[in-house]
Amino acid sequence: MRIIINSQETLIPDNINTVSKLLEFQNIPEEGTGVGLNNRLIEARNRPTTLLQNGDNVIIISATFGG
């Protein structure tokens, strides 16, 4: 499946079909991470059931700590 992650076209396996699975596949922690799907914010509690489709546009923003 082809999706766009942070403005970059990315090919992912077909079994990576939810937002949670995508974060796991990309080695991105759920905590401290914001996810937008097709210009809609996806709450953390909805990520395991939010399905991805070919051509989706995903924005992933991870919080950074320190100074």
Side-chain angles (χ1 to χ4, degrees):
M1 172 174 13
R2 292 186 188 278
I3 61 173
I4 299 169
I5 301 175
N6 294 348
S7 300
Q8 184 174 5
E9 188 172 320
T10 306
L11 182 62
I12 60 171
D14 288 335
N15 67 327
I16 307 301
N17 59 355
T18 67
V19 172
S20 285
K21 287 181 182 179
L22 176 65
L23 291 176
E24 183 180 342
F25 179 72
Q26 295 286 319
N27 295 315
I28 299 171
E30 292 251 3
E31 190 171 324
T33 300
V35 179
L37 176 62
N38 300 324
N39 297 318
R40 194 182 85 210
L41 179 65
I42 305 300
E43 294 182 34
R45 69 175 184 226
N46 295 328
R47 293 176 190 168
T49 58
T50 301
L51 296 176
L52 296 172
Q53 298 180 14
N54 197 47
D56 277 347
N57 186 359
V58 180
I59 301 294
I60 300 173
I61 301 172
S62 296
T64 57
F65 300 97

